[in-house]
C-alpha cells in the first residue's frame, strides 16, 4: 500500500518506479523491517543521522541578505524581482512608446536618475551626479542644451551640491542619458536606495584655511561606487561628505558618513599631520546629527573605510521597514563598537581609535564665505561666490556662466550645499570684468543676510510629497526680511515641503516645514537650528500657520531681535538665549 501510494504521489520514471517497488518488496521478504522515516503519506522523511535529504520537509524560502523574500517591503521585492541596473531595454521601450512607467518601474527608473514626478508634473526629473560638487564649462553647456531642447529650460542646484533638470517627456529619456554620457557625466544611482551625490567642500584646493584638498577623495569615492555593482540597491539612501576642515562647511554632520579633516600636533603617540575624523549616522529629518565614532584615518584610508561601512550596512540593515532602514537604525541596534568591529573585518588594515579632543580644534566656519569675492591660497587668484536664489538657474545664465568661467577663470564651476555656485581661479586683474559679465547675465555676487543663507526644496510645483510652494515662499520671505531689517550676520532660512526634509529645516536659524493648514498652504515653524560649531536642532515655534499669515509674524520677531539684541549678537544666539515662550511672545508684540 505504501509502495503504491509512494509511486503514485511522486512523478518518477517507470524505471524508478520498478526499482522502488522491488526495494520495498525486498524489505517485506526480510520480515518487514521498519524503514525509518516512512510517513503516513508515503514520503521519505530521513533519519536525522542518515544524511539523507528530507524530502517531506517544505523547501526553505529564498532570502535576501538573510531576510525571507515574503518579509521584504515592496521596494525590496521589486529590486529582488528585477535588478534596476539591468533595465536598459525597458527604458528603450518606454522611450519608443512615449510611455510612463508603472509603480515598480517608477522606482527602478530612479536607479538611472529618472524620477517620474506626477501628479506635480506629468514628466520626468533627471537628478545628476556631480562628484565633489565640481563641473566644467563644457558640461554646463551640455546640460543647458539638454534643458533647452528637452526639459524645463533651467537647472536647479540642490542641497547636495548637485543639479536637477525637470520636465523631460518619456520619449526623451534615453536621449537624455546618452547626452549625459557624451559630456562625461552620469545619473546612475542618484535616486532610490543608493549612495547619493558625494559632496566635498566647495573650496577644496583653493581655500587658504583648508587642511586637505578633498575633491580627489570625493571623486575616488564616486568612481569606486560606479564600478562596484554591490554598492547599488542598499536598504535605503545613503549620504557621504568630505570636509576639508576649511572656511566653508559641507554640512558633514548631516550625512550618514562624514569625513572631516583635522590636524594632529606634535607630542602625540602618532605622527603629527592631517588625518580624518569619521562622523556617523546623520539624519536630521529624524532629528539626529552625525557624531564622532572615535576613528582617526589617514586620507588614503577614507574610501576603503566608507566602502566597508556601506557593505556592513547593506548586509545587515532592515529591509522590511523603510522607515527604519537608514544606517542610524542599524547602529542603534548594534552599537558603534560592533559596527566598527564588523567594518574592520572587511579591511586590509586595522582601524586607529584616537580621541577627538587630542586633535587640534577647527577654525571657525565662515557662514558667508560662499557669496562674494574672496582670495584663494594661490597668489593673486580669487573665487567669486555667485548668488542663485533657491538654486534656480535658467539656460541663459548657465551658458553665460560657462563663458565667464572660461574667459576669466579655468573653465571650472563649483556647486555648494547652499544652492549657489562658485567661480574659482579668477585673476585679480579680471575681477571687475568678471563681475560686470555676471551682472549683465542677471547674476549677483552679493545678497542680503537672509537670502544668502536661504535654501528650499522643490516644493509642490515639482514634488508630489510637498504641501507648499517652498521656493516661491522662501524668496518672498528672504526678500521681505532683507528689505526691512539691517542685519549683517548671516541667517539661514530653510524651507522644506514635507517631512522628508530635503532642505533640512531642523538646522536653520528659521526652519519651515510645509503643511496644509485649513486647506491652504502653510508651515510648521522651528527656530534656532545650526550645524558644525553651531550644531543644534531647532525648536518648534509655531505648530501650524497659513503662509499668508506668516510674514507679519516674522516681521515682529525680527523687529524684536533688532531692538533687543546685544552688540554683534547673531539671530541664532539671540534665539537660543530666549526660551520658546518668550520667542512666541515676540511674534505677537508690535515693535515701536
Amino acid at each position: 500500500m505504501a509502495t503504491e501510494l509512494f509511486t503514485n504521489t511522486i512523478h518518477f520514471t517507470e524505471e524508478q518506479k520498478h526499482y522502488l517497488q522491488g526495494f520495498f518488496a525486498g524489505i517485506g521478504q526480510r520480515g518487514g523491517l521498519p524503514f525509518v522515516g516512512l510517513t503516513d503519506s508515503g514520503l521519505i522523511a530521513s533519519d536525522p543521522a542518515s544524511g539523507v535529504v528530507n524530502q517531506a520537509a517544505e523547501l526553505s524560502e529564498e532570502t535576501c541578505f538573510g531576510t525571507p523574500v515574503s518579509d521584504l517591503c515592496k521596494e525590496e521585492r521589486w529590486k529582488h524581482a528585477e535588478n534596476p541596473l539591468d533595465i536598459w531595454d525597458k527604458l528603450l521601450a518606454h522611450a519608443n512608446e512615449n510611455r510612463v512607467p508603472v509603480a515598480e518601474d517608477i522606482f527602478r527608473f530612479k536607479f538611472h536618475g529618472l524620477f517620474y514626478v506626477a501628479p506635480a508634473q506629468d514628466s520626468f526629473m533627471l537628478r545628476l551626479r556631480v562628484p565633489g560638487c565640481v563641473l566644467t564649462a563644457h558640461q554646463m553647456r551640455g546640460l543647458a542644451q539638454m534643458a533647452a531642447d528637452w526639459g524645463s529650460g533651467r537647472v536647479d542646484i540642490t542641497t547636495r551640491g548637485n543639479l536637477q533638470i525637470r520636465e523631460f517627456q518619456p520619449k526623451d529619456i534615453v536621449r537624455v542619458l546618452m547626452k549625459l554620457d557624451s559630456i562625461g557625466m552620469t545619473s546612475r544611482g542618484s535616486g532610490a536606495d543608493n549612495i547619493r551625490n558625494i559632496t566635498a567642500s566647495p573650496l577644496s584646493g583653493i581655500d587658504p584655511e583648508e587642511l586637505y584638498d578633498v575633491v580627489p577623495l570625493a571623486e575616488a569615492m564616486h568612481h569606486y561606487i560606479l564600478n562596484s555593482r554591490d554598492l547599488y540597491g542598499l536598504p535605503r539612501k545613503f549620504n557621504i561628505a568630505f570636509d576639508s576642515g576649511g572656511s566653508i562647511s559641507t554640512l558633514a554632520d548631516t550625512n550618514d558618513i562624514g569625513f572631516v579633516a583635522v590636524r594632529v600636533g606634535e607630542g602625540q603617540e602618532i605622527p603629527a599631520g592631517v588625518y580624518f575624523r569619521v562622523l556617523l549616522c546623520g539624519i536630521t529629518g529624524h532629528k539626529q546629527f552625525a557624531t564622532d565614532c572615535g576613528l582617526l584615518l589617514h586620507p588614503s584610508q577614507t574610501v576603503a573605510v566608507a566602502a566597508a561601512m556601506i557593505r556592513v550596512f547593506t548586509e545587515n540593515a532592515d529591509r522590511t521597514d523603510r522607515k527604519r532602514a537608514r544606517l542610524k537604525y542599524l547602529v542603534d541596534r548594534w552599537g558603534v563598537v560592533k559596527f566598527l568591529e564588523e567594518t574592520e573585518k572587511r579591511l586590509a588594515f586595522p582601524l586607529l581609535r584616537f580621541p577627538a579632543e587630542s586633535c587640534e580644534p577647527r577654525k571657525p566656519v565662515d557662514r558667508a564665505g560662499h557669496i562674494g569675492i574672496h582670495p584663494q591660497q594661490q597668489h593673486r587668484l580669487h573665487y567669486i561666490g555667485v548668488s542663485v536664489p533657491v538654486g534656480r538657474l535658467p539656460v541663459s545664465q548657465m551658458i553665460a556662466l560657462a563663458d565667464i568661467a572660461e574667459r576669466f577663470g579655468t573653465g571650472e564651476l563649483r556647486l555648494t550645499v547652499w544652492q549657489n555656485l562658485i567661480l574659482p581661479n579668477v585673476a585679480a586683474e579680471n575681477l571687475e570684468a568678471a563681475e560686470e559679465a555676471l551682472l549683465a547675465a542677471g547674476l549677483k555676487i552679493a545678497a542680503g543676510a537672509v537670502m544668502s543663507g536661504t535654501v528650499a526644496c522643490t516644493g509642490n510645483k515639482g514634488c508630489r510629497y510637498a504641501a507648499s510652494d517652498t521656493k516661491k515662499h522662501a524668496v518672498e520671505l528672504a526678500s521681505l526680511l532683507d528689505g526691512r531689517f539691517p542685519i549683517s550676520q548671516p541667517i539661514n532660512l530653510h524651507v522644506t515641503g514635507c517631512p522628508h526634509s530635503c532642505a533640512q529645516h531642523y538646522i536653520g536659524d528659521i526652519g519651515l516645514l510645509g503643511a496644509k493648514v485649513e486647506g491652504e498652504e502653510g508651515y510648521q515653524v522651528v527656530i534656532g537650528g545650526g550645524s558644525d560649531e553651531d550644531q543644534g536642532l531647532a525648536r518648534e515655534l509655531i505648530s501650524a500657520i497659513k503662509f499668508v499669515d506668516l510674514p507679519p509674524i516674522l516681521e515682529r520677531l525680527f523687529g524684536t531681535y533688532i531692538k533687543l539684541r546685544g552688540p554683534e549678537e547673531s539671530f541664532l544666539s539671540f534665539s537660543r538665549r530666549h526660551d520658546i515662550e518668550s520667542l512666541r511672545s515676540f511674534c505677537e508684540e508690535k515693535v515701536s
Side-chain angles (χ1 to χ4, degrees):
M1 189 72 179
T3 307
E4 185 177 323
L5 182 59
F6 187 94
T7 55
N8 289 337
T9 303
I10 306 299
H11 297 291
F12 292 106
T13 66
E14 287 301 317
E15 183 179 352
Q16 289 170 328
K17 290 179 183 179
H18 289 312
Y19 169 80
L20 290 170
Q21 287 168 347
F23 177 76
F24 285 111
I27 290 175
Q29 290 174 359
R30 291 195 298 271
L33 295 174
F35 181 80
V36 176
L38 189 63
T39 66
D40 290 340
S41 65
L43 298 180
I44 294 175
S46 67
D47 179 347
S50 71
V52 180
V53 175
N54 183 354
Q55 297 182 31
E58 293 184 8
L59 293 175
S60 58
E61 183 179 352
E62 189 177 2
T63 63
C64 176
F65 294 103
T67 300
V69 170
S70 62
D71 290 342
L72 298 174
C73 64
K74 68 177 185 295
E75 290 84 358
E76 290 295 331
R77 292 198 298 273
W78 291 340
K79 289 186 288 186
H80 185 76
E82 183 177 18
N83 192 316
L85 298 179
D86 300 329
I87 61 167
W88 186 253
D89 285 344
K90 186 171 286 187
L91 293 171
L92 289 170
H94 280 70
N96 287 337
E97 299 168 20
N98 198 29
R99 174 165 50 94
V100 301
V102 296
E104 55 264 42
D105 287 329
I106 288 175
F107 177 78
R108 293 185 185 111
F109 280 26
K110 293 178 184 178
F111 277 65
H112 301 266
L114 294 166
F115 292 71
Y116 183 61
V117 294
Q121 294 174 326
D122 186 17
S123 58
F124 282 94
M125 177 267 285
L126 176 73
R127 180 185 293 158
L128 310 179
R129 298 189 77 94
V130 184
C133 308
V134 180
L135 72 160
T136 67
H138 169 69
Q139 290 169 334
M140 182 67 92
R141 286 196 189 93
L143 297 175
Q145 182 184 356
M146 289 167 56
D149 291 350
W150 305 311
S152 60
R154 72 162 191 268
V155 295
D156 292 303
I157 305 175
T158 77
T159 55
R160 288 204 64 76
N162 199 4
L163 294 171
Q164 296 179 168
I165 310 178
R166 293 185 167 271
E167 299 183 31
F168 294 116
Q169 293 303 306
K171 62 185 176 66
D172 295 318
I173 58 176
V174 171
R175 293 188 183 95
V176 164
L177 296 179
M178 292 171 64
K179 176 66 176 180
L180 202 57
D181 183 68
S182 74
I183 61 174
M185 299 187 74
T186 184
S187 57
R188 189 177 178 89
S190 62
D193 301 339
N194 293 298
I195 305 161
R196 301 301 172 82
N197 193 52
I198 308 299
T199 60
S201 299
L203 302 183
S204 290
I206 65 174
D207 187 351
E209 303 297 329
E210 78 177 8
L211 299 179
Y212 197 89
D213 180 0
V214 293
V215 166
L217 299 180
E219 291 176 339
M221 188 79 245
H222 167 82
H223 288 286
Y224 189 89
I225 294 165
L226 292 184
N227 291 284
S228 302
R229 191 176 176 88
D230 69 314
L231 297 188
Y232 291 85
L234 280 57
R236 205 67 171 86
K237 70 176 182 178
F238 205 95
N239 293 325
I240 302 174
F242 290 85
D243 193 304
S244 68
S247 58
I248 295 183
S249 167
T250 192
L251 300 180
D253 54 6
T254 67
N255 286 256
D256 293 278
I257 302 176
F259 295 105
V260 181
V262 294
R263 186 180 298 281
V264 175
E266 301 287 347
Q268 302 287 349
E269 61 267 31
I270 63 172
V274 174
Y275 298 85
F276 281 84
R277 303 299 304 181
V278 184
L279 312 183
L280 289 180
C281 303
I283 176 171
T284 55
H286 294 213
K287 300 185 178 182
Q288 179 170 305
F289 285 99
T291 54
D292 191 291
C293 69
L295 297 183
L296 191 71
L297 303 181
H298 187 274
S300 63
Q301 297 174 326
T302 54
V303 173
V305 168
M309 288 180 167
I310 295 162
R311 287 177 170 129
V312 171
F313 168 65
T314 297
E315 295 167 16
N316 297 282
D318 190 341
R319 290 180 182 265
T320 66
D321 181 358
R322 290 176 70 76
K323 294 180 180 179
R324 300 186 65 81
R326 293 290 296 273
L327 177 66
K328 159 187 162 55
Y329 296 103
L330 175 62
V331 176
D332 284 351
R333 175 158 49 93
W334 275 6
V336 172
V337 172
K338 180 177 179 179
F339 181 74
L340 296 183
E341 288 173 349
E342 292 299 314
T343 297
E344 201 162 17
K345 291 176 182 177
R346 290 161 171 80
L347 294 168
F349 52 86
L351 291 174
L352 173 63
R353 278 74 170 177
F354 191 82
E357 56 270 21
S358 296
C359 302
E360 294 180 2
R362 180 178 186 157
K363 293 181 180 179
V365 170
D366 181 0
R367 291 177 62 184
H370 59 287
I371 298 291
I373 298 174
H374 302 267
Q376 296 181 188
Q377 61 178 257
Q378 293 82 7
H379 180 61
R380 291 187 59 76
L381 291 183
H382 296 73
Y383 73 86
I384 303 176
V386 181
S387 176
V388 184
V390 295
R392 285 179 166 169
L393 198 62
V395 163
S396 60
Q397 292 182 341
M398 295 171 69
I399 294 171
L401 283 164
D403 292 343
I404 294 167
E406 288 182 334
R407 287 172 59 201
F408 304 112
T410 52
E412 186 177 272
L413 298 144
R414 308 282 186 96
L415 306 177
T416 83
V417 297
W418 307 108
Q419 294 183 308
N420 73 308
L421 57 83
I422 287 168
L423 291 170
N425 306 316
V426 180
E429 60 270 21
N430 290 330
L431 286 172
E432 184 176 348
E435 182 178 359
E436 289 177 356
L438 289 168
L439 290 172
L443 294 161
K444 299 178 180 179
I445 66 170
V450 182
M451 186 67 80
S452 64
T454 293
V455 298
C457 74
T458 297
N460 61 12
K461 298 303 182 186
C463 176
R464 65 190 178 94
Y465 298 109
S468 53
D469 190 349
T470 53
K471 289 189 181 289
K472 176 185 176 183
H473 295 159
V475 170
E476 287 182 12
L477 289 175
S479 300
L480 171 70
L481 296 174
D482 281 334
R484 285 272 287 110
F485 302 105
I487 302 171
S488 56
Q489 297 91 344
I491 293 175
N492 291 338
L493 171 65
H494 291 241
V495 187
T496 200
C498 78
H500 290 144
S501 193
C502 294
Q504 301 178 318
H505 65 293
Y506 279 120
I507 66 169
D509 292 54
I510 295 287
L512 305 181
L513 170 61
K516 288 297 181 184
V517 181
E518 298 178 7
E520 296 184 28
E521 293 183 12
Y523 294 92
Q524 177 199 49
V525 183
V526 296
I527 190 170
S531 61
D532 302 307
E533 70 262 33
D534 295 324
Q535 187 181 103
L537 293 169
R539 298 169 289 165
E540 183 181 275
L541 181 67
I542 302 171
S543 60
I545 184 172
K546 297 176 183 177
F547 176 73
V548 294
D549 298 328
L550 183 57
I553 295 289
L554 292 183
E555 282 189 282
R556 289 195 284 270
L557 175 62
F558 275 77
T560 304
Y561 159 62
I562 296 297
K563 180 181 179 181
L564 301 181
R565 64 182 173 178
E568 301 301 315
E569 183 177 26
S570 69
F571 181 80
L572 180 60
S573 296
F574 175 83
S575 68
R576 287 182 174 178
R577 74 175 172 89
H578 288 92
D579 61 51
I580 203 69
E581 291 305 321
S582 297
L583 293 169
R584 286 170 179 159
S585 71
F586 298 157
C587 294
E588 302 301 326
E589 294 176 1
K590 294 282 188 180
V591 179
S592 58

